[in-house]
Amino acid sequence: MNIEIVKRSSSYINGSWVLSNEKIFLKNPAAPKKNIKEICFASPQNAKDSIVSAKSAFSLWSATPVDKRIKSLKILMGAIEKNIKILSRLITLENGKTIKESEGEVVAAIQEGNYQIDFLSRGLYENIDNKKLLYVPLGVALLITPWNFPLSTVIRKMIPALACGNCVILKPSEFSSLTSIFLFELIDSIKFPNGVANLVLGEGSVIGPSLLDLSVLKIISFTGSTDTGEFIQKSIASSDVRYQAEMGGSNALVIWKDADIEKAVDAVIASGMACAGQWCTGISKLVIHEEIYDDTINLLVKAVKNIKVGDGNLESTDMGPLNNSHQLSKMKNYIARAVNQGAKILIGGKPIKIDKDDGYFFSPTLLEGVNEKMKVATEEIFGPIINIYKTDNINSAIKFSNHGKYGLSFSIYTADDKVADTFIENIDASLCHINLPSPYREVDMPFTGWKKSGSGIPESGRFARDVFTKPKVVYSNKSS
Ligand code: NAD
């Protein structure tokens, strides 16, 4: 694609594009030796300016009638819809996922944004007998997002935050600046009042502290790893800034003895290998019932062999590269440690060289003989590695699935409803699926995590309003 389509290259503060001396080159994970574009990361002063700008815009935006706010957001969603192709290309360029996966993300983001617009256009006050329940905006919202879903994680937070009347500062991942810059070009073209929506680019650990102005911020909505989420939560612990976080996962899919094996294997590929395994609700743990183990493994190995790894821009590619060099070293380390602890590589297990550009490609991998003592069974892998555990016992299948600090998503494949119910009752995860892939979701439901996978009220689905507003109840005995 012609990168000139993205005209800007910096943060967007108080309605202006703000340059700085912190210049960096964006990389394409499929060909990191080539630079995509030079952009500016924000300076600490830029970050502070964004807080001031959002704070001063709040009185105007919060007083703007909800219909008017909703109208502007509808125009924004329309602009995103008109630019599906460009946004998908940009996501693939900086994230690595395939063009089909990127299009899927943009379409999902549009559905989610439109759901919030529709829900919140009806839902910011309720009349109940002689009482009025008002949902009042909080003020300045800091939205921190990851690189793996660079558009949908942003839309999930930004649309409800703005619809409710808050002003926002978006701090996207340093690995997904391009998608955010283009999104803010669309925002700029719609002419929201200055300061209502601000973009601050930069590395989290560098620019993050300048954004944490606890005297101004009213809410931080974070999506990213559990380590960063907990670090931020601790940094603001003594303040009254509202905090909600969607974090990591180490999710399991179980194939029970009576399952439709072909459908289950398709679901394993969709849940474990899509986006090169870099999907918070995807799986890294697979439990297979002993009675169907060999047949399932045969099918699974065949399916994994068929996955074509390559540049996500090519239509023929099934799986793109990992997002960055750190991801690649993490996968190598996981494999080395698992093999050292007794796991066996069934297929894959190493980086792949596709061409001379040294992209961050890693082979789709199946590891068998994994048990609870191994690090791969407890940590978030976030790559195309599936760890397989064999059992004929429902309690040990549940124990293995629940093992570790995370509680995000889970999937059971079985024809026996009682077995399905037993799993669902005993699984410590917020997003549970019966005969459906683990990332499956619908936009009116909360997208949330238990244990160390989440904190606070989810910012999505019908809970968004509760996160981005405070209730005011008016009991009235008016004479007229
Ligand atoms: P990350 O934690 O490294 O970064 C997330 C964001 O936090 C980035 O914008 C980063 O720049 C910022 N950040 C880092 N340090 C900061 C600091 N000190 N102050 C302020 N901001 C800071 O995560 P990542 O690698 O970008 O994303 C992958 C992770 O996100 C995985 O763990 C995945 O499971 C998780 N994730 C969760 C969900 C969910 O809904 N549960 C969705 C998508 C991704």
Side-chain angles (χ1 to χ4, degrees):
M1 84 176 289
N2 181 1
I3 197 62
E4 299 306 317
I5 202 126
V6 183
K7 298 197 173 49
R8 303 296 181 166
S9 56
S10 65
S11 301
Y12 180 80
I13 297 165
N14 202 28
S16 297
W17 298 95
V18 180
L19 298 173
S20 80
N21 293 327
E22 315 286 320
K23 298 208 165 108
I24 61 118
F25 281 105
L26 296 177
K27 304 276 179 199
N28 172 356
K33 285 182 180 165
K34 293 181 193 147
N35 293 324
I36 305 177
K37 186 178 168 80
E38 190 183 48
I39 63 157
C40 293
F41 277 170
S43 66
Q45 187 56 45
N46 296 153
K48 286 183 183 138
D49 291 346
S50 73
I51 306 265
V52 174
S53 134
K55 188 183 171 196
S56 38
F58 178 62
S59 53
L60 174 66
W61 186 243
S62 57
T64 302
V66 66
D67 294 356
K68 225 171 149 193
R69 295 199 300 252
I70 290 285
K71 197 172 158 202
S72 302
L73 292 170
K74 274 187 182 162
I75 297 172
L76 174 60
M77 293 314 300
I80 293 174
E81 202 160 349
K82 273 194 204 129
N83 286 287
I84 291 179
K85 288 267 175 278
I86 293 175
L87 278 159
S88 307
R89 289 278 166 208
L90 292 176
I91 292 173
T92 292
L93 192 62
E94 68 178 345
N95 172 287
K97 65 174 84 169
T98 67
I99 200 72
K100 244 191 226 144
E101 288 166 343
S102 296
E103 276 171 10
E105 176 180 351
V106 180
V107 168
I110 292 168
Q111 281 170 355
E112 192 155 12
N114 285 340
Y115 165 79
Q116 288 300 345
I117 284 175
D118 180 51
F119 176 60
L120 294 167
S121 64
R122 290 177 280 119
L124 289 179
Y125 68 89
E126 290 171 50
N127 286 318
I128 309 160
D129 305 326
N130 67 332
K131 302 167 296 261
K132 229 184 202 145
L133 177 53
L134 306 170
Y135 294 90
V136 177
L138 301 173
V140 178
L142 173 61
L143 315 176
I144 303 177
T145 54
W147 50 261
N148 69 321
F149 280 85
L151 185 69
S152 61
T153 52
V154 171
I155 294 296
R156 183 170 304 145
K157 296 178 191 304
M158 197 165 76
I159 296 297
L162 290 174
C164 289
N166 303 284
C167 293
V168 304
I169 297 156
L170 171 67
K171 190 348 238 139
S173 165
E174 49 273 35
F175 296 109
S176 58
S177 307
L178 203 52
T179 311
S180 311
I181 293 173
F182 188 74
L183 176 66
F184 271 73
E185 287 187 9
L186 300 180
I187 288 176
D188 185 45
S189 71
I190 290 160
K191 301 278 174 242
F192 285 83
N194 289 348
V196 166
N198 302 275
L199 170 68
V200 174
L201 303 175
E203 267 183 56
S205 56
V206 177
I207 203 68
S210 309
L211 285 168
L212 297 187
D213 183 340
L214 307 183
S215 65
V216 174
L217 293 178
K218 293 296 177 211
I219 172 164
I220 300 175
S221 174
F222 169 85
T223 299
S225 65
T226 297
D227 282 352
T228 308
E230 291 195 323
F231 174 80
I232 295 174
Q233 189 162 20
K234 277 184 198 134
S235 324
I236 62 165
S238 57
S239 76
D240 59 2
V241 177
R242 190 178 287 182
Y243 185 67
Q244 78 83 224
E246 308 304 332
M247 302 185 281
S250 161
N251 313 306
L253 184 149
V254 176
I255 309 179
W256 211 238
K257 60 185 173 187
D258 45 23
D260 178 329
I261 299 179
E262 283 182 16
K263 278 202 181 125
V265 165
D266 286 348
V268 172
I269 301 297
S271 308
M273 299 299 179
C275 302
Q278 301 166 122
W279 196 333
C280 56
T281 48
I283 60 156
S284 59
K285 296 190 278 195
L286 173 62
V287 179
I288 306 177
H289 195 285
E290 216 170 74
E291 283 179 28
I292 50 148
Y293 188 82
D294 292 343
D295 290 346
T296 309
I297 290 290
N298 284 339
L299 274 182
L300 193 55
V301 170
K302 237 187 247 167
V304 170
K305 258 188 202 152
N306 283 337
I307 296 176
K308 189 165 182 326
V309 179
D311 183 344
N313 251 310
L314 305 173
E315 289 293 332
S316 55
T317 296
D318 299 315
M319 192 173 108
L322 297 167
N323 179 257
N324 55 62
S325 58
H326 176 62
Q327 281 285 98
L328 192 63
S329 354
K330 237 173 64 181
M331 296 311 125
K332 288 192 248 176
N333 290 340
Y334 274 127
I335 297 287
R337 221 180 289 122
V339 170
N340 216 3
Q341 289 184 301
K344 181 180 152 207
I345 299 173
L346 278 178
I347 183 166
K350 49 184 184 304
I352 311 179
K353 193 165 171 63
I354 303 274
D355 53 31
K356 58 182 180 352
D357 286 330
D358 288 345
Y360 305 129
F361 298 102
F362 197 84
S363 51
T365 300
L366 300 175
L367 285 178
E368 74 172 350
V370 173
N371 63 48
E372 285 162 22
K373 289 191 188 113
M374 298 178 183
K375 218 172 168 184
V376 277
T378 55
E379 296 219 334
E380 178 174 52
I381 306 289
F382 222 54
I385 302 175
I386 296 178
N387 300 287
I388 305 169
Y389 177 73
K390 176 160 71 165
T391 184
D392 65 349
N393 180 290
I394 204 160
N395 291 329
S396 61
I398 290 169
K399 195 164 164 244
F400 182 78
S401 302
N402 278 338
H403 191 60
K405 65 182 181 182
Y406 299 107
L408 190 47
S409 74
F410 171 78
S411 187
I412 165 76
Y413 274 74
T414 177
D416 185 331
D417 290 352
K418 276 204 183 125
V419 167
D421 290 345
T422 305
F423 272 100
I424 301 301
E425 274 161 30
N426 292 288
I427 287 294
D428 287 334
S430 51
L431 306 169
C432 290
H433 304 82
I434 301 169
N435 298 329
L436 285 167
S438 67
Y440 179 85
R441 76 170 289 238
E442 294 183 14
V443 293
D444 57 334
M445 290 291 117
F447 188 70
T448 181
W450 286 6
K451 292 155 76 182
K452 296 288 183 187
S453 292
S455 178
I457 307 171
E459 90 285 40
S460 49
R462 55 187 69 175
F463 288 82
R465 180 179 62 187
D466 299 335
V467 167
F468 291 113
T469 63
K470 54 191 176 189
K472 179 186 264 185
V473 186
V474 183
Y475 296 97
S476 175
N477 196 12
K478 277 183 178 169
S479 48
S480 57

